[in-house]
Amino acid sequence: MNPETPRRSVLYMPGANERALEKAKTLPTDALILDLEDSVAPDAKPEARDRVAAAAASGEYGYREVTIRVNAPGTPWHADDVRAAAEAGPSGVVVPKVDTPETVREVEAALEKAGVPDTTAIWAMIETPKALFAATAIAEASPRLTVLVLGTNDLVKELRAEHVPGRAPLLTGLSLALLAARATGRAVLDGVYNDVRDTAGFEAETLQARQFGFDGKTLIHPGQIEPCNRIFAPAEEEVERSRRIIAAFEEATSQGRGVVTVDGRMIENLHVEEARRVLALAAAVAGR
């Protein structure tokens, strides 16, 4: 996994909607999830599968990471979805309802049997209490698994909780997923915000996700892309401070000094590593 790959905004697009798939080629989102699961009615799934596979294989989405969300293991459409996704060779295959590492290995085996390219990753959706308690094992189940995706709507349902500002009922679950991702070197994406009209609420939740340490957020409407990209991108003052940290540290090292301060604060190796990550992400974002 390239840690500098921007995944600030990851937009779900309904696989049954040809117009939406075409529109996605013009949207400034970092990544797309072309959906065969929740947004597609049962009788429309075969046609949507063909349409999504063709879109993912087209090469017409520019810099955007294009992934396909298959139907969950155990459903009548799962095996055909996995075969079609393998043949299309998207950037990633998003697998819902991943509760155990065995599910990851089974999907990986099915993808490889169908001839999936080495470049296609697995993104595992973490949507249940069982998945959260197994999140580290799920993340480590395969080198092909590079991203954990929170399914917060399903998690709220499973917990019998409520959607409330600040997400107090979900804070433990969000933390468990984030800890698993960071412990295993995977990326992790926050779940969706349901009220597309509530701009202030969306921005507050996106900022919370950024402060927690998430790499980005999954979205359900194009109107959510701009604030998401802005909040998850390094701010100019953050970039400038990162440059000063690196310059000061390198100067001190060259002079044999062991103590470095920037803006009155002591700087250690961990601050330098974070500064380099910020600059790499800023450069990747600027190239889009």
Side-chain angles (χ1 to χ4, degrees):
M1 182 190 76
N2 183 354
E4 290 81 40
T5 299
R7 296 189 180 97
R8 301 165 297 167
S9 54
V10 181
L11 179 65
Y12 286 101
M13 298 300 284
N17 188 329
E18 185 172 4
R19 185 176 177 183
L21 297 181
E22 188 65 26
K23 181 180 176 63
K25 298 174 184 178
T26 68
L27 298 174
T29 185
D30 285 335
L32 294 160
I33 299 176
L34 309 185
D35 186 35
L36 297 175
E37 194 203 17
D38 287 345
S39 68
V40 182
D43 60 354
K45 288 185 185 290
E47 182 180 354
R49 181 188 302 127
D50 293 341
R51 181 178 292 116
V52 161
S58 70
E60 297 176 355
Y61 289 85
Y63 64 81
R64 300 162 192 83
E65 236 180 330
V66 178
T67 69
I68 296 174
R69 180 163 74 165
V70 299
N71 283 278
T75 65
W77 312 282
H78 175 75
D80 289 338
D81 287 353
V82 169
R83 280 192 293 271
E87 292 169 5
S91 295
V93 176
V94 183
V95 185
K97 306 297 188 296
V98 177
D99 281 349
T100 66
E102 287 74 26
T103 298
V104 176
R105 289 189 280 267
E106 289 167 2
V107 170
E108 180 182 44
L111 286 168
E112 293 181 350
K113 183 178 179 180
V116 72
D118 291 340
T119 53
T120 296
I122 294 173
W123 294 17
M125 294 200 69
I126 305 299
E127 305 182 79
T128 66
K130 184 175 182 180
L132 285 166
F133 282 119
T136 301
I138 289 169
E140 291 179 324
S142 166
R144 195 182 284 272
L145 193 154
T146 60
V147 181
L148 299 179
V149 183
L150 267 292
T152 45
N153 281 336
D154 282 84
L155 187 56
V156 166
K157 178 183 77 71
E158 293 285 331
L159 293 174
R160 303 175 192 169
E162 296 181 13
H163 290 281
V164 295
R167 300 194 287 181
L170 293 182
L171 295 185
T172 297
L174 296 174
S175 296
L176 286 171
L178 185 64
L179 286 166
R182 296 295 172 252
T184 59
R186 271 58 175 177
V188 59
L189 303 174
D190 191 17
V192 301
Y193 190 81
N194 297 313
D195 188 348
V196 298
R197 300 165 299 179
D198 182 8
T199 303
F202 173 76
E203 292 206 18
E205 186 169 293
T206 302
L207 180 60
Q208 180 196 47
R210 163 81 190 268
Q211 291 171 341
F212 254 63
F214 282 91
D215 296 291
K217 191 167 179 63
T218 49
L219 313 176
I220 58 171
H221 191 275
Q224 298 173 326
I225 296 172
E226 186 281 326
C228 197
N229 282 348
R230 169 169 41 83
I231 289 169
F232 274 104
E236 185 57 38
E237 56 268 26
E238 188 179 4
V239 172
E240 288 303 318
R241 175 174 166 76
S242 295
R243 290 179 178 142
R244 293 200 306 274
I245 287 172
I246 292 170
F249 187 82
E250 289 177 348
E251 181 183 3
T253 301
S254 69
Q255 296 176 359
R257 290 188 283 113
V259 177
V260 186
T261 60
V262 173
D263 300 335
R265 297 182 179 181
M266 185 176 294
I267 299 302
E268 302 178 83
N269 281 326
L270 63 92
H271 301 110
V272 178
E273 290 176 10
E274 175 61 11
R276 288 178 175 144
R277 186 194 69 81
V278 167
L279 293 185
L281 178 58
V285 167
R288 305 209 151 174

